[in-house]
Structure formats: C-alpha cells, structure tokens
Amino acid sequence: DGGITQSPKYLFRKEGQNVTLSCEQNLNHDAMYWYRQDPGQGLRLIYYSQIVNDFQKGDIAEGYSVSREKKESFPLTVTSAQKNPTAFYLCASSIGYRGLNTEAFFGQGTRLTVV
Amino acid sequence: AQKVTQAQTEISVVEKEDVTLDCVYETRDTTYYLFWYKQPPSGELVFLIRRNSFDEQNEISGRYSWNFQKSTSSFNFTITASQVVDSAVYFCALWVSGNQFYFGTGTSLTVIP
C-alpha cells in the first residue's frame, strides 16, 4: 500500500546524543515535511523539502538537520543542540510539484523522549 | 503573512449533539487551499477535506459539513449528531504557493456518551 512510514514509533535519547528519525514515502511525492507537536499545541514546521537535494528551514529549525538524497526519504536528525527535544514528530508529504497542491499525507509519528 | 486561528481549544458535547469547529485564516494570496485534519489518539493526522480558494460551495459528507466563507475568511466544520468516535483533535490548515502548510493550534473535541 502507498503511504508514509515513520520509524521508530518510540525513541529514547540520552542528553547530548544525536538521534535520527526515519521517514520514507512511496507516493512519488516531491514535497516532504517535518513537524513537531508538543502537548496541547499545534504543528510547527521544522524543515521542508520540495525536491531532491534541496530543503528549507521552517519556523523551528534550530537544533535539527535534514537531508534529501532520495525522493522517497527525508530523515530528520535531532542534534544535541536542540535543548528541548522531547516531543511528537510528524513527517508528511504532498505532490508539491510546480505549485500543484494536494492534501498532505502524514506518517504515524515518532514520539521522542529525552532521558 | 499566513496564519490560521482555531480559537476553540477544547469542546465537550454530549453524544448526538451537533458541534461546530471554527477556523479563521489570514493570507494575501488569491490562490490558496484550506484543509481539515482529524488526529485521533493514535497520533496520525487523517485528511478530511480540501477546498481551494475559488470554490466557495459548502460541502457535506455524511455527518460532516464544511462552510467556507471568503468574506469572513472562515472555514468552519460542523459535525451533526456527534458520536464518541468523533472524539479527537481537529486541525485546520492553509496552503499557499511556496509549498508550505500552515496549521492552526487544533481543537480538542470530546464527545460524552
């Protein structure tokens, strides 16, 4: 089935460690996004990518890094510079080609906890 | 600048009541899209509807209906005869050229049996 797969579902990180969250899609979408959701809050954009080998910072990019080497994959690294990384992370994709729009399709999320 | 406001943080209704979730958006673009998503406790956002800025027709899908009014920059969502399964967080979102989605802060709906 077509969709977006995020892994792992739960992730625990020690302070000072970098961790990478995986996001893979088989929808042939050009655009991919990473959002952070804190309890009782909305979705805040971390990074987005409209095409392979290109990505832009969102509203809260500090302490995060991404890569887009393949169309299907958009991994997010939470670095030790992110002071408060405990949150729910959602990956999404959409057609995003030349201004075309469809809805964004979301993965099931990764819940990251710093221990 | 783009912005989506969902002023209702939490709503509780008794089963079978109707409920309306409000969404107000801001954008200077003339071409844009509006969305509603449902987030059940499992966490994944489920797409409900997409509407472009040139189509102000209201839409009904079963117990769900949406009222899009450009004059008031609103895109409200009504659930008729609510059910316990409707309990979730609902997000309104705006998409404009530049390929970025802007989400509201969400409305948490609890339907009491």
Side-chain angles (χ1 to χ4, degrees):
Chain A
D1 286 358
I4 298 181
T5 302
Q6 286 187 245
S7 62
K9 190 171 182 180
Y10 298 96
L11 185 58
F12 296 89
R13 189 195 94 170
K14 291 183 179 179
E15 288 197 24
Q17 282 184 339
N18 292 355
V19 289
T20 297
L21 283 59
S22 170
C23 179
E24 303 277 334
Q25 55 99 357
N26 60 4
L27 300 167
N28 200 32
H29 285 170
D30 284 290
M32 295 188 74
Y33 313 81
W34 273 106
Y35 292 92
R36 169 177 170 147
Q37 185 178 21
D38 293 283
Q41 299 192 27
L43 280 65
R44 293 185 289 169
L45 182 66
I46 305 172
Y47 271 97
Y48 66 104
S49 167
Q50 298 185 46
I51 199 167
V52 174
N53 292 322
D54 184 55
F55 47 82
Q56 288 79 42
K57 294 182 179 180
D59 300 321
I60 56 166
E62 185 175 350
Y64 300 97
S65 66
V66 293
S67 63
R68 187 85 187 276
E69 298 176 0
K70 298 187 300 182
K71 189 175 186 178
E72 306 78 30
S73 179
F74 192 41
L76 173 74
T77 297
V78 184
T79 74
S80 56
Q82 170 49 240
K83 297 306 178 187
N84 186 20
T86 295
F88 187 56
Y89 292 86
L90 284 159
C91 179
S93 73
S94 69
I95 287 183
Y97 178 67
R98 294 183 184 177
L100 291 177
N101 171 264
T102 64
E103 64 271 25
F105 293 81
F106 283 82
Q108 292 191 321
T110 294
R111 193 167 300 279
L112 172 64
T113 303
V114 173
V115 296
Chain B
Q2 276 60 234
K3 186 179 180 181
V4 176
T5 301
Q6 294 180 255
Q8 305 152 307
T9 305
E10 296 181 359
I11 299 177
S12 292
V13 298
V14 176
E15 200 170 21
K16 298 185 182 176
E17 287 184 346
D18 299 347
V19 58
T20 296
L21 309 182
D22 297 332
C23 173
V24 174
Y25 64 93
E26 296 176 28
T27 181
R28 293 185 178 179
D29 284 44
T30 55
T31 301
Y32 54 88
Y33 293 81
L34 295 164
F35 304 82
W36 275 96
Y37 285 87
K38 175 181 180 180
Q39 186 179 39
S42 60
E44 180 178 356
L45 268 72
V46 177
F47 166 75
L48 296 177
I49 189 171
R50 165 178 173 254
R51 174 68 72 222
N52 74 54
S53 53
F54 301 106
D55 181 4
E56 284 192 77
Q57 278 193 334
N58 292 330
E59 181 157 339
I60 298 174
S61 176
R63 296 184 297 105
Y64 295 170
S65 63
W66 291 269
N67 185 330
F68 176 27
Q69 291 194 338
K70 288 177 74 171
S71 61
T72 56
S73 297
S74 65
F75 187 43
N76 297 337
F77 173 30
T78 298
I79 302 174
T80 302
S82 59
Q83 300 176 2
V84 173
V85 293
D86 296 326
S87 296
V89 180
Y90 291 86
F91 289 96
C92 180
L94 167 71
W95 184 95
V96 299
S97 61
N99 225 349
Q100 189 178 144
F101 290 84
Y102 298 86
F103 284 84
T105 51
T107 297
S108 177
L109 174 65
T110 301
V111 180
I112 304 166

